[in-house]
């Protein structure tokens, strides 16, 4: 006796969170049943394996049918086929778009293209995440990217509107989209110590300060060609950054800057002498990073440069985080006292963001 | 009489991509009603077109308004080739035709295609302007309300319950026409959907006409079914109960009507009939009734002759061969075959099965049918009738006569009588207080028929054009075409009626009809519960006060309906009778089987449970006549076994009554399946059931003996366990009380009885003997052994779960508002190797048990919960396939209160009194909640969405709230019950009756059979919900999936499914959003069924 057909349809669609997780994690029905058996559910409920099998199949079928709608979450809200309470809808969407830290670190900053998709096999083996789950996560990234890429307005808002994600998850996606668009290198060995959270933090600061949207130009000029205000860095701003070069190119200015910083920080840093010795190197590093940002290639290497030019030297001298903070504050603030320097606003826009990023990047 | 139908097409959304090149669609809409078609403009290149059309106006007859559905077709415009259809929406505009229901249909409807399923949605507004002089019209029946609910709808009051209405229409099935070979499956499916929609409309209109003739204004318990007879055609038939209903206008009326029966009685103005029956001969005094008495006797004689003659005459009268009928009636002359004892038990499921005494059979029927007027005379003149076995006799006779005459009189003009008044049947399963006087037991009848092509010269084929449908009303062909479906049903009903008579009952309640068709063989079945009714509700006239008084004194609360309606001296079958354990005045049987719901005032001990009897019988494959004969030979054996199984299981549960009994016999190519479902309860009025005793055939064999005693022990243990599980511990009654033959107060009445008394004593002796005698199961062969084993293998539901197939679970009354309606379907393939009866039985049993287990597992998050209205349907789509479909609703109840459930009768009644008080106290609250706008799902939903995505701390920019959150789809609840726990139904919006076909030629791609059917059922639910929402409702009650016919052809990668559902669209208002309960159990309220916002507000 074999069951040819076995279905259960509720007026309110039944969602089993545990099974949903297994499905999202890409387990096959038989694997999912095995995992559920191991969880001791049979003992708790007195059910048989056959019942569990049928239940799992049912849920998988439902999820499979829901998947089409999950690709465009507003559809899930409007559709009439599945009656799902709003709180459950939100849960379905949120979980569907959630991603694994290990996975996102692998693809962050990579082009979301077919080529990358082919590498998913390797990522799957490397991270231990099932290929199915990798595909879902990758497709989610790509889908969100495609929808909001060309859209004007706040990136996070756009994501939230079109995918109905929580604030937290929307910000994460904004970071992913931002990184994918600017192709920031995150995979180098040097950068392995950084978490997705570190990058997302930096991305948020950069979106807020370094993109076109940050200046708030768009509303005044709706017909302008600058469509993707939050996704692309402000090209004009990047061009202007070259002007900062004077800070290291002009010897007097550099010395003055150094003396201003050293005077203020004397006695306040545990690593004062190291700072004093390294000041010019560090300052050159930071300013050169800025000056190079006109080239796309160098934009991509931003994080590599920051780590190489600033984080690593400080770390080798065992700067405590508090000292880094004091130094960076003073380093950016004292520029205001340099009379010969005319690009105060530009400096603040650059250094304000960079300071935040560096502090976040500075850890082991 | 013309009416004006107005339709506006507003917009579409989520349309499918029809143009691959642009990934867009150029959509337009055709709106069709009758012969008239309007079109909207083409909305270019959009998946969310905004047509915002003008009002399309159709000027049509109201007859057409009732018959025709509004047909909306969405198409993709194509300049060069034919326009592609995206899908259709059929809208039944019937709810707009009566004043109290919906006034406008407006909302998003899923666009449905029979091949692709739902493809986007369309927003439509429909209105009807009806001109007022409807009554002049006889072809239409606008204004008659229809309810699927099998009780008086909650916000109405029954002024009169008129009785049975039935109708059927026949047509050729488009699927079996020659043209089907050349047209696409889509065209064929659509032709079928359209035809059935049209036929349902016509059927409903005709039933409405009958109701108007009876001076009623509503049909309650409306049940419409399709018989897909294949080659021989398509039958749409319906039965219902005609009523005159009054809308309760004051909020006070929302109080449950059962609070105080006596008060209720006085409230009812007997002469307030809004449609005074001008044809009737005024107030019905008993003597006036005599006027009509010639008719009943005429009909009786016809009936008796029919049951006498059918056996021998049927072959002669039938123009073509036909399987022999089965007679379940004890009044039919004893057959020569040896299976008479079987037949007896088939009929009278209400009684224990002792060897029957045929000698007494037949006489009660005869006496009652011929000597009615005489009896009446005796009763009226105040003299005791010698034949009445007890003091209630004359009264009963009077009552019976009155009801009888009430039933018969209501036809209005006497000349209509024969046609209309024939069947005193009621499709209701729950009744106004005081309506049901006594219950006799289950009556059922089956008949095996051979289908033949419905051929008639007047018939015009269907050529795809709507207007050429020729709907045939077989009533009009009755004279020259005796073997019509109508005649078949008339036969069956006649039989049911005579069974009821044999039980001393004049009416049948909880009546239903069904068919099972396999190839050219069709089993027609009808069943119901024989009952004696209170004539008060049945007639328009006045009623003697004395009768009412007597009624009350004779009907102790909670046990009256258990008292036997038949004479104990002339019992139609042998039974153990005892004095009622509740009032100790009247006789009750030891076991009671019924098809109705448990009366609200019944006193029940403990909780109830679902009891099922399952049975398979192999049958040789045969053709036509031989097949029919084989089936009808098997039927009595099946009925007998089903009955035995039910009885055994009932005893095993320690219970003594079955409610909601439904026995389904399904015919397949090579087997018959029987499935009986009922809810077992322990009625306090009936005696404690004896245990089950096992007796072996070979008492000398030691090991065998041991085996037997081992099993006996297991059975005893199970009974004890079940008693504990279902909290069955009836109050101990001292033997002497039961033993005392006649309680004191009855002394005076004994004067009326004369010689009957001595025999009374005899019965009692016999009785006490019988009571101690346990139910004996004789194990004489392996079959019996199997049976006993299968008895013991039934597993009780896991802790926290209860199940029943009645509306509510006896013994649980603290429902929360969390409900989940579901449909589950399983198809199992039997391996052809082990096809023996035993293996089949085991397979079938396992299938059902596993299905139940699966349900319990799936719904475990709702514990403590009860599966109510569990409705199993079995079909045999192919040789080795068994399909079981279950629809039920799971309702959570409050555990804490459940623990307080009282166990003794006294406490129980106390509690009832207190709940009465509560209800009175709640009254002001209800007023408040009623005054809230009828939409119970305020836009509060936006809150929940936000809650899920909290706008956290670091909100750097001003963000607009998540869009679209306020436009989520409103929740529509669905339930097979007639009510919604924790809510008041404030308005009935009309009947929902929908028929869908879905077909696929890419079965594998759609996820195989399971994926296909899963999606289809979900779509059906969605379409029902959308229609309800468009009517302005928020729930469907009395929802039923009447048909789910699934066919597959995996080799061709094809499958097809037909589903027919119905229910009542309603508006409900939550009883109290203010109640403290919701704050006490916030987690319990985050149920999947209520929008979260609704709970938190």
């Amino acid at each position: 006796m074999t069951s040819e057909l076995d279905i259960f349809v509720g007026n309110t669609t039944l969602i089993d969170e545990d099974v949903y997780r297994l499905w999202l994690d890409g387990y096959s029905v038989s694997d999912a049943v095995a995992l559920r058996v191991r969880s001791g559910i049979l003992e708790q409920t007195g059910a048989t394996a056959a019942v569990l099998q049928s239940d799992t199949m049912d849920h998988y079928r439902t999820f499979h049918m829901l998947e089409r709608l999950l690709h465009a979450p507003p559809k899930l809200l409007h559709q009439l086929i599945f009656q799902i309470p709003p709180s459950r809808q939100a849960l379905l969407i949120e979980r569907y778009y959630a991603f694994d830290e290990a996975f996102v670190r692998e693809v962050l900053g990579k082009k979301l293209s077919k080529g990358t998709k082919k590498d998913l096999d390797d990522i799957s083996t490397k991270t231990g995440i099932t290929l199915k789950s990798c595909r879902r996560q990758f497709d989610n990234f790509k889908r969100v990217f495609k929808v909001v890429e060309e859209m004007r307005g706040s990136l996070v808002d756009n994501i939230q509107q079109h995918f109905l994600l929580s604030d937290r998850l929307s910000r994460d996606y904004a970071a992913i989209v931002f990184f994918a668009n600017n192709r920031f290198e995150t995979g180098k060995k040097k950068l392995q110590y950084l978490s997705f959270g570190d990058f997302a933090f930096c991305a948020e600061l950069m979106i807020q300060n370094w993109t076109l949207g940050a200046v708030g130009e768009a509303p005044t000029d709706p017909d302008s060609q600058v469509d993707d205000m939050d996704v692309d860095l402000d090209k004009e701003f990047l061009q202007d950054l070259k002007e900062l070069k004077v800070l290291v190119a002009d010897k007097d200015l550099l010395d003055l800057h150094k003396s201003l910083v050293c005077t203020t920080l004397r006695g306040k840093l545990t690593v004062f002498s190291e700072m004093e010795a390294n000041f010019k190197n560090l300052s050159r590093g930071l300013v050169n990073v800025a000056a190079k940002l006109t080239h796309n290639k160098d934009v991509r290497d931003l994080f590599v440069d920051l780590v190489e030019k600033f984080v690593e030297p400080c770390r080798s001298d065992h700067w405590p985080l508090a000292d880094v903070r004091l130094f960076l504050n003073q380093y950016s603030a004292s520029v205001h006292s340099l009379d010969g320097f005319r690009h105060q606003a530009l400096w603040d826009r650059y250094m304000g963001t960079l300071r935040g990023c560096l502090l976040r990047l500075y850890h082991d | 009489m013309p009416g004006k139908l107005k339709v506006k097409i507003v917009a579409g959304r989520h349309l499918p991509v029809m143009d691959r090149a642009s990934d867009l669609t150029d959509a337009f809409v055709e709106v069709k009603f009758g012969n008239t078609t309007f079109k909207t403009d083409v909305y270019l290149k959009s998946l969310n077109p905004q047509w915002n059309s003008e009002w399309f106006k159709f000027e049509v007859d109201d007859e057409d308004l009732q018959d025709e559905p509004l047909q909306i077709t969405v198409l993709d415009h194509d300049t060069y080739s034919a326009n592609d259809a995206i899908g259709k929406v059929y809208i039944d505009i019937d709810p707009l035709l009566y004043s109290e229901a919906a006034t406008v249909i407006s909302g998003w409807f899923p666009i449905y295609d029979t091949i692709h399923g739902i493809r986007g949605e369309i927003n439509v507004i429909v209105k009807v302007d009806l001109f007022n002089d409807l009554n002049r019209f006889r072809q239409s029946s606008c204004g008659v309300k229809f309810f699927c609910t099998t009780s008086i709808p909650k916000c109405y009051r029954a002024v009169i319950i008129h009785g049975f209405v039935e109708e059927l229409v026949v047509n050729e099935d488009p699927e079996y026409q020659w043209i089907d070979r050349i047209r696409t499956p889509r065209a064929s499916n659509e032709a079928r959907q359209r035809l059935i929609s049209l036929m349902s409309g016509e059927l409903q209109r005709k039933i409405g006409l009958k109701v108007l003739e009876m001076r009623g204004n509503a049909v309650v318990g409306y049940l419409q079914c399709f018989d897909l007879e294949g080659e021989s055609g398509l039958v749409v038939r319906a039965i219902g109960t005609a009523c005159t209903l009054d809308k309760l206008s004051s909020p006070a009326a929302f109080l449950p009507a059962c609070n105080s029966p006596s008060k209720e009685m006085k409230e009812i103005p007997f002469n307030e009939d809004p449609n005074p029956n001008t044809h009737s001969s005024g107030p019905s005094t008993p003597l006036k009734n005599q006027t009509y008495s010639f008719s009943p006797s005429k009909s009786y004689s016809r009936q008796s002759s029919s049951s006498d003659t059918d056996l021998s005459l049927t072959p002669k009268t039938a123009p073509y061969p036909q399987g022999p009928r089965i007679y379940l009636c004890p009044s039919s002359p004893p057959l020569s075959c040896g299976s008479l004892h079987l037949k007896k038990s088939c009929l009278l499921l209400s009684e224990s099965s002792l060897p029957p005494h045929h000698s007494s059979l037949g006489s009660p029927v005869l006496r009652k049918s011929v000597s009615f007027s005489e009896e009446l005379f005796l009763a009226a003149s105040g003299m005791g009738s010698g034949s009445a076995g007890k003091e209630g006799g004359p009264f009963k006779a009077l009552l019976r006569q009155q009801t009888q005459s009430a039933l018969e009189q209501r036809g209005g003009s006497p000349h209509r009588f024969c046609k209309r008044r024939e069947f005193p049947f009621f499709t209701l399963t729950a009744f106004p207080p005081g309506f049901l006087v006594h219950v006799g037991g289950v009556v059922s009848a089956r008949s095996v028929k051979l289908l033949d092509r419905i051929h008639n010269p007047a018939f015009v084929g269907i050529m795809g054009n709507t207007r050429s449908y020729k709907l045939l009303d077989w009533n009009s062909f009755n004279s020259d075409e005796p073997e019509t479906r109508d005649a078949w049903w008339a036969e069956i009903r006649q039989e049911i009626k005579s069974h009821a008579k044999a039980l001393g009952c004049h009416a049948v309640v909880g009546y239903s009809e069904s068919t099972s068709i396999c190839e050219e063989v069709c089993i027609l079945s009808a069943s119901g519960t024989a009952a004696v009714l209170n004539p008060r509700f049945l007639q328009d006239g006045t009623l003697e006060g004395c009768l009412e008084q007597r009624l009350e004194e004779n009907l102790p609360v909670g046990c009256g309906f258990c008292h036997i309606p038949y004479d104990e001296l002339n019992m139609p079958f042998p039974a153990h009778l005892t004095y009622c354990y509740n009032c100790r005045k009247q006789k009750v049987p030891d076991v009671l089987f019924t098809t109705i719901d448990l009366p609200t005032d019944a006193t029940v001990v403990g909780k109830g449970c679902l009891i099922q009897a399952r049975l398979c019988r192999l049958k040789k494959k045969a053709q036509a006549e031989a097949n029919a004969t084989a089936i009808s030979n098997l039927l009595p054996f099946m009925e007998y076994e089903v009955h035995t199984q039910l009885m055994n299981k009932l005893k095993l549960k320690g219970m003594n009554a079955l409610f909601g009994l439904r026995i389904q016999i399904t015919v397949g190519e090579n087997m018959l399946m029987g499935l009986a479902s009922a809810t077992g309860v322990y009625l306090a009025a009936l005696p404690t059931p004896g245990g089950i005793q096992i007796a072996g055939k070979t008492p000398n064999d030691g090991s065998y003996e041991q085996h037997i005693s081992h099993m006996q022990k297991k059975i005893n243990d199970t009974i004890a366990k079940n008693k504990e599980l279902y909290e069955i511990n009836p109050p101990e009654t001292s033997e002497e009380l039961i033993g005392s033959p006649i309680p004191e107060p009855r002394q005076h009445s004994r004067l009326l009885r004369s010689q009957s008394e001595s025999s009374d004593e005899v019965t009692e002796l016999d009785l006490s003997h019988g009571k101690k005698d346990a139910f004996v199961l004789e194990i004489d062969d392996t079959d019996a052994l199997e049976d006993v084993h299968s008895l013991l293998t039934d597993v009780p539901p896991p802790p926290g779960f209860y199940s029943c197939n009645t509306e509510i679970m006896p013994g649980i009354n603290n429902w929360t508002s969390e409900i989940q309606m579901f449909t589950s379907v399983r198809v199992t393939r039997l391996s052809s190797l082990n096809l023996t009866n035993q293996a089949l039985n085991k397979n079938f049993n396992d299938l059902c048990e596993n299905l139940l287990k699966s349900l319990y597992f799936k719904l475990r998050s709702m514990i403590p919960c009860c599966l109510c209205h569990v409705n199993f349907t079995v079909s045999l789509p192919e040789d080795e396939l068994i399909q079981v479909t279950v629809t039920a609703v799971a309702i959570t109840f409050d555990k804490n209160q459940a623990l307080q459930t009282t166990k003794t009768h006294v406490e129980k009644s106390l509690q009832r009194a207190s709940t009465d008080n509560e209800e009175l106290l709640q009254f002001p609250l209800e007023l408040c909640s009623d005054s809230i706008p009828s939409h119970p799902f305020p836009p509060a939903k936006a809150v929940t969405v936000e809650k899920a995505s909290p706008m956290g701390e670091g909100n750097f920019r001003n963000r607009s709230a998540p869009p679209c959150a306020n436009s989520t789809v409103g929740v529509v609840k669905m339930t097979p019950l007639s009510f919604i726990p924790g809510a008041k139904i404030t308005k009935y919006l009309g009947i929902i009756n929908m028929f869908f076909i879905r077909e696929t030629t890419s079965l594998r791609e759609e996820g195989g059979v399971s994926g296909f059917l899963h999606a289809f059922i979900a779509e059906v639910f969605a379409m029902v919900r959308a229609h309800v929402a468009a009517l302005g409702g928020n729930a469907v009650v009395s929802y039923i999936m009447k048909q789910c016919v699934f066919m597959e052809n995996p080799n061709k990668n094809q499958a097809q499914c037909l589903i027919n559902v119905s229910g009542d669209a309603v508006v409900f208002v939550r009883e109290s959003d203010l109640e403290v309960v919701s704050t006490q159990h916030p987690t319990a309220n985050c149920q999947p069924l209520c929008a979260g916002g609704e709970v938190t507000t």
Side-chain angles (χ1 to χ4, degrees), chain A residues 1-14 16 18 36 41-42 45-48 50-52 54-59 61-62 64-65 68 74-91 94 153-157 160-162 164-168 171 204 207-209 211 213-214 230, chain B residues 13-14 108-110 118 121 798 820-830 843 846-847 850 853-855 857-860 881 941 944-945 948-952 954-960 963-965 967-974 1009-1011 1013-1015 1017-1019 1021-1022 1025-1026 1046 1048 1087-1092:
Chain A
M1 190 177 77
T2 48
S3 263
E4 292 266 303
L5 185 158
D6 179 2
I7 55 159
F8 175 99
V9 190
N11 183 36
T12 301
T13 307
L14 278 186
D16 186 310
D18 299 334
R36 294 182 82 187
I41 197 165
L42 295 186
T45 56
T48 61
V51 165
L52 205 59
S54 134
D55 181 64
T56 312
M57 288 280 280
D58 247 330
H59 284 300
R61 221 170 14 243
T62 309
H64 182 74
M65 285 190 264
R68 189 177 52 86
K75 268 192 189 168
L76 184 71
L77 260 67
H78 289 293
Q79 55 83 30
L80 304 174
I81 299 180
F82 302 97
Q83 184 158 277
I84 305 170
S87 61
R88 285 267 148 170
Q89 287 179 345
L91 177 132
E94 193 77 3
S154 153
L155 185 56
V156 180
D157 282 355
Q160 210 162 44
Q161 277 194 16
H162 288 87
L164 309 172
L165 303 179
S166 69
D167 195 53
R168 179 71 259 143
R171 286 154 193 272
E204 190 159 340
I207 291 169
Q208 277 161 28
N209 298 301
T211 60
D230 259 5
Chain B
R13 67 182 183 197
H14 305 154
W108 288 100
F109 291 89
I118 290 180
E121 289 118 38
Q820 166 72 296
M821 189 282 296
F822 59 85
T823 292
S824 187
V825 184
R826 277 199 187 182
V827 176
T828 288
R829 184 174 293 279
L830 303 161
N843 276 340
D846 287 352
L847 175 61
N850 287 339
K853 274 186 213 156
S854 257
L855 298 182
F857 180 77
K858 281 203 172 290
L859 299 162
R860 64 192 185 283
L881 291 184
K941 267 161 216 146
T944 31
V945 174
S949 56
M951 300 273 184
N955 226 347
F956 291 89
R957 294 179 204 172
N958 290 333
R959 297 237 163 80
S960 52
C964 329
S967 54
T968 37
V969 183
V971 173
V972 174
K973 296 200 174 195
M974 290 168 76
V1009 284
S1010 295
L1013 196 60
H1014 191 148
I1017 291 178
E1019 286 175 340
F1021 286 1
R1025 287 192 303 256
F1046 177 74
E1048 57 166 325
Q1087 74 273 78
L1089 279 160
C1090 296

Side-chain angles (χ1 to χ4, degrees), chain B residues 536-649:
Chain B
R536 188 157 50 82
F537 290 93
L538 300 175
Q539 63 193 52
D540 333 359
T542 52
L543 196 79
E544 301 88 283
C546 67
L547 178 63
E548 199 176 328
Q549 259 177 16
R550 295 203 55 167
L551 242 175
E552 278 179 57
E553 91 188 23
N554 274 294
L555 282 180
V557 183
C559 65
F561 72 94
C562 305
H563 301 159
I564 52 162
Y566 36 85
D567 293 321
E568 57 190 283
L569 289 188
N570 286 314
M571 280 197 300
F573 49 84
H576 297 295
L577 296 183
T578 13
Y579 280 112
C580 172
Y581 276 54
N582 195 6
C583 64
R584 317 227 172 263
K585 287 179 189 149
Q586 307 217 20
K587 294 288 179 89
V588 293
D590 58 346
V591 178
L592 187 67
F593 284 15
T594 74
T595 58
I596 55 171
D597 269 347
L598 186 70
T600 41
D601 57 349
T603 319
V604 172
V605 176
K607 297 195 168 65
C609 73
L610 179 72
I611 291 179
Q612 284 194 323
R614 302 152 188 150
L615 188 68
C616 298
R617 275 276 175 274
L618 282 172
K619 161 184 92 64
K620 287 228 169 59
K621 277 194 190 181
Q623 289 305 305
E625 215 178 322
N627 197 14
T629 315
I631 292 169
S632 42
N633 285 341
L634 274 174
L635 278 179
F637 292 92
M638 292 196 66
E639 298 249 19
Y640 172 74
E641 259 185 68
V642 163
H643 173 244
T644 315
Q645 255 191 53
L646 280 176
M647 193 62 107
N648 289 344
K649 288 188 176 176

